[in-house]
Protein backbone atom coordinates (compact mmCIF):
# COMPACT_ATOMS: atom_id res chain seq x y z
CA UNK A 1 0.00 0.00 0.00
CA UNK A 2 2.88 2.35 0.80
CA UNK A 3 4.48 1.59 -2.55
CA UNK A 4 1.28 2.39 -4.43
CA UNK A 5 0.90 5.64 -2.47
CA UNK A 6 4.50 6.57 -3.25
CA UNK A 7 4.03 5.77 -6.94
CA UNK A 8 0.76 7.68 -7.07
CA UNK A 9 2.38 10.72 -5.47
CA UNK A 10 5.31 10.64 -7.90
CA UNK A 11 3.08 10.27 -10.95
CA UNK A 12 0.85 13.12 -9.73
CA UNK A 13 3.80 15.45 -9.06
CA UNK A 14 5.58 14.60 -12.31
CA UNK A 15 2.43 15.02 -14.37
CA UNK A 16 1.81 18.43 -12.79
CA UNK A 17 5.45 19.38 -13.36
CA UNK A 18 5.16 18.50 -17.05
CA UNK A 19 1.94 20.51 -17.35
CA UNK A 20 3.63 23.44 -15.61
CA UNK A 21 6.58 23.27 -18.02
CA UNK A 22 4.24 23.20 -20.99
CA UNK A 23 2.41 26.26 -19.63
CA UNK A 24 5.76 28.05 -19.24
CA UNK A 25 6.57 27.24 -22.85
CA UNK A 26 3.36 28.94 -24.00
CA UNK A 27 3.98 32.20 -22.13
CA UNK A 28 6.55 34.95 -22.59
CA UNK A 29 7.00 35.71 -18.90
CA UNK A 30 9.11 33.56 -16.60
CA UNK A 31 6.93 31.71 -14.08
CA UNK A 32 8.35 31.21 -10.60
CA UNK A 33 8.52 27.69 -9.18
CA UNK A 34 8.66 26.26 -12.68
CA UNK A 35 11.59 24.11 -13.82
CA UNK A 36 11.59 25.57 -17.33
CA UNK A 37 11.19 29.05 -15.87
CA UNK A 38 14.21 28.40 -13.67
CA UNK A 39 16.21 27.28 -16.71
CA UNK A 40 15.11 30.35 -18.69
CA UNK A 41 16.00 32.62 -15.76
CA UNK A 42 19.48 31.07 -15.61
CA UNK A 43 19.87 31.62 -19.35
CA UNK A 44 18.69 35.21 -19.03
CA UNK A 45 21.14 35.90 -16.19
CA UNK A 46 24.04 34.43 -18.15
CA UNK A 47 23.16 35.54 -21.69
CA UNK A 48 26.37 37.60 -21.96
CA UNK A 49 28.56 34.57 -21.30
CA UNK A 50 30.37 32.89 -24.19
CA UNK A 51 28.51 30.21 -26.08
CA UNK A 52 30.46 27.37 -24.46
CA UNK A 53 30.06 28.87 -20.99
CA UNK A 54 26.32 29.33 -21.46
CA UNK A 55 25.98 25.74 -22.64
CA UNK A 56 27.90 24.48 -19.58
CA UNK A 57 25.87 26.67 -17.21
CA UNK A 58 22.59 25.37 -18.64
CA UNK A 59 23.84 21.77 -18.53
CA UNK A 60 24.80 22.25 -14.87
CA UNK A 61 21.36 23.71 -14.16
CA UNK A 62 19.68 20.67 -15.73
CA UNK A 63 21.99 18.37 -13.77
CA UNK A 64 21.01 20.13 -10.55
CA UNK A 65 17.30 19.86 -11.44
CA UNK A 66 17.44 16.18 -12.44
CA UNK A 67 17.59 14.72 -8.89
CA UNK A 68 14.46 16.64 -7.89
CA UNK A 69 12.66 15.10 -10.85
CA UNK A 70 13.93 11.56 -10.34
CA UNK A 71 13.55 11.53 -6.56
CA UNK A 72 11.70 8.46 -5.25
CA UNK A 73 11.16 7.00 -8.75
CA UNK A 74 13.89 4.45 -8.09
CA UNK A 75 12.30 3.66 -4.71
CA UNK A 76 9.18 2.49 -6.55
CA UNK A 77 11.28 0.06 -8.58
CA UNK A 78 13.06 -1.11 -5.43
CA UNK A 79 9.77 -1.94 -3.72
CA UNK A 80 8.52 -3.71 -6.85
CA UNK A 81 11.72 -5.75 -6.98
CA UNK A 82 11.85 -6.64 -3.29
CA UNK A 83 8.16 -7.62 -2.93
CA UNK A 84 8.41 -10.91 -4.87
CA UNK A 85 11.62 -11.74 -3.03
CA UNK A 86 9.82 -11.32 0.29
CA UNK A 87 7.04 -13.50 -1.11
CA UNK A 88 9.64 -16.11 -2.00
CA UNK A 89 11.06 -15.89 1.52
CA UNK A 90 7.57 -16.57 2.88
CA UNK A 91 7.31 -19.53 0.52
CA UNK A 92 10.56 -20.98 1.80
CA UNK A 93 9.48 -20.48 5.43
CA UNK A 94 6.11 -22.13 4.72
CA UNK A 95 7.76 -25.11 3.07
CA UNK A 96 10.22 -25.47 5.96
CA UNK A 97 7.26 -25.59 8.36
CA UNK A 98 5.61 -28.21 6.16
CA UNK A 99 8.70 -30.40 6.11
CA UNK A 100 9.11 -30.02 9.86
CA UNK A 101 5.51 -31.19 10.34
CA UNK A 102 6.19 -34.14 8.05
CA UNK A 103 9.35 -34.98 10.02
CA UNK A 104 7.55 -34.87 13.37
CA UNK A 105 4.19 -36.43 12.50
CA UNK A 106 4.70 -38.19 9.17
CA UNK A 107 2.50 -37.79 6.10
CA UNK A 108 -0.59 -39.34 7.63
CA UNK A 109 -2.39 -36.07 8.46
CA UNK A 110 -2.74 -33.67 5.50
CA UNK A 111 -4.07 -30.92 7.79
CA UNK A 112 -0.62 -30.54 9.32
CA UNK A 113 0.93 -29.92 5.91
CA UNK A 114 -1.86 -27.67 4.65
CA UNK A 115 -0.99 -24.78 6.98
CA UNK A 116 2.61 -24.50 5.79
CA UNK A 117 1.67 -24.90 2.13
CA UNK A 118 -1.05 -22.29 2.51
CA UNK A 119 1.40 -19.87 4.10
CA UNK A 120 3.82 -20.49 1.25
CA UNK A 121 1.22 -19.78 -1.42
CA UNK A 122 -0.27 -16.72 0.30
CA UNK A 123 3.08 -14.98 0.71
CA UNK A 124 4.00 -15.65 -2.92
CA UNK A 125 0.64 -14.30 -4.04
CA UNK A 126 1.00 -11.15 -1.92
CA UNK A 127 4.49 -10.50 -3.25
CA UNK A 128 3.23 -10.70 -6.83
CA UNK A 129 0.15 -8.59 -6.07
CA UNK A 130 2.44 -5.83 -4.78
CA UNK A 131 5.06 -6.11 -7.53
CA UNK A 132 2.93 -6.21 -10.68
CA UNK A 133 1.13 -2.84 -10.34
CA UNK A 134 4.25 -1.16 -8.98
CA UNK A 135 6.25 -2.18 -12.04
CA UNK A 136 3.66 -0.52 -14.26
CA UNK A 137 3.54 2.57 -12.06
CA UNK A 138 7.35 2.78 -12.01
CA UNK A 139 7.43 2.65 -15.78
CA UNK A 140 4.84 5.41 -15.95
CA UNK A 141 6.69 7.64 -13.44
CA UNK A 142 10.05 7.01 -15.11
CA UNK A 143 8.56 7.94 -18.47
CA UNK A 144 7.33 11.24 -17.03
CA UNK A 145 10.73 12.02 -15.51
CA UNK A 146 12.58 11.21 -18.73
CA UNK A 147 10.13 13.32 -20.73
CA UNK A 148 10.68 16.29 -18.40
CA UNK A 149 14.47 15.99 -18.51
CA UNK A 150 14.60 15.61 -22.30
CA UNK A 151 12.22 18.57 -22.64
CA UNK A 152 14.54 20.71 -20.52
CA UNK A 153 17.59 19.54 -22.48
CA UNK A 154 15.83 20.35 -25.74
CA UNK A 155 14.96 23.85 -24.51
CA UNK A 156 18.54 24.35 -23.33
CA UNK A 157 19.82 23.40 -26.78
CA UNK A 158 17.27 25.79 -28.29
CA UNK A 159 18.51 28.64 -26.09
CA UNK A 160 22.12 28.00 -27.12
CA UNK A 161 21.12 27.70 -30.78
CA UNK A 162 19.21 30.98 -30.59
CA UNK A 163 22.29 32.68 -29.16
CA UNK A 164 24.45 31.43 -32.04
CA UNK A 165 22.12 33.08 -34.54
CA UNK A 166 22.52 36.47 -32.89
Amino acid sequence: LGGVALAGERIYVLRNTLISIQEQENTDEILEGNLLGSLLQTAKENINESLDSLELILDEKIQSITPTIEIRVKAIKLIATVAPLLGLLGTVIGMIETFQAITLFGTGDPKLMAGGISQALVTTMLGLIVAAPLLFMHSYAENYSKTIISFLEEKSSGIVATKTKK
Side-chain angles (χ1 to χ4, degrees), residues 46-58:
N46 295 287
I47 199 67
N48 294 326
E49 295 287 333
S50 70
L51 192 61
D52 290 338
S53 293
L54 179 61
E55 190 173 0
L56 287 172
I57 290 167
L58 293 177

Side-chain angles (χ1 to χ4, degrees), residues 36-44 46-47 51 54-55 58 62 151-166:
L36 180 56
S38 175
L39 187 69
L40 293 172
Q41 184 65 37
T42 301
K44 185 178 176 183
N46 295 287
I47 199 67
L51 192 61
L54 179 61
E55 190 173 0
L58 293 177
I62 291 172
F151 190 89
L152 293 174
E153 288 172 346
E154 182 182 310
K155 290 300 168 189
S156 173
S157 297
I159 292 167
V160 171
T162 303
K163 183 175 169 137
T164 58
K165 291 179 184 177
K166 292 180 179 179

Side-chain angles (χ1 to χ4, degrees), residues 3-68:
V4 172
L6 175 68
E9 180 268 343
R10 276 292 83 198
I11 290 169
Y12 176 79
V13 167
L14 291 171
R15 189 188 81 222
N16 287 344
T17 301
L18 186 58
I19 290 169
S20 170
I21 287 172
Q22 290 168 340
E23 287 173 359
Q24 172 64 62
E25 184 182 32
N26 296 330
T27 183
D28 290 335
E29 63 184 69
I30 295 176
L31 303 174
E32 287 191 35
N34 183 299
L35 296 179
L36 180 56
S38 175
L39 187 69
L40 293 172
Q41 184 65 37
T42 301
K44 185 178 176 183
E45 292 169 358
N46 295 287
I47 199 67
N48 294 326
E49 295 287 333
S50 70
L51 192 61
D52 290 338
S53 293
L54 179 61
E55 190 173 0
L56 287 172
I57 290 167
L58 293 177
D59 283 346
E60 283 179 20
K61 184 66 175 177
I62 291 172
Q63 291 302 316
S64 70
I65 290 171
T66 299
T68 62

Side-chain angles (χ1 to χ4, degrees), residues 58-132:
L58 293 177
D59 283 346
E60 283 179 20
K61 184 66 175 177
I62 291 172
Q63 291 302 316
S64 70
I65 290 171
T66 299
T68 62
I69 297 168
E70 293 179 339
I71 193 166
R72 293 189 293 275
V73 172
K74 287 186 170 71
I76 300 166
K77 187 173 186 177
L78 177 68
I79 295 168
T81 304
V82 169
L85 294 175
L86 292 175
L88 181 60
L89 177 63
T91 301
V92 170
I93 292 170
M95 294 311 293
I96 289 171
E97 286 181 13
T98 301
F99 287 126
Q100 286 175 340
I102 290 171
T103 302
L104 292 175
F105 304 106
T107 59
D109 189 4
K111 288 182 183 178
L112 291 174
M113 293 186 294
I117 293 171
S118 174
Q119 177 186 354
L121 294 175
V122 167
T123 57
T124 302
M125 176 191 69
L126 292 175
L128 293 174
I129 285 173
V130 168

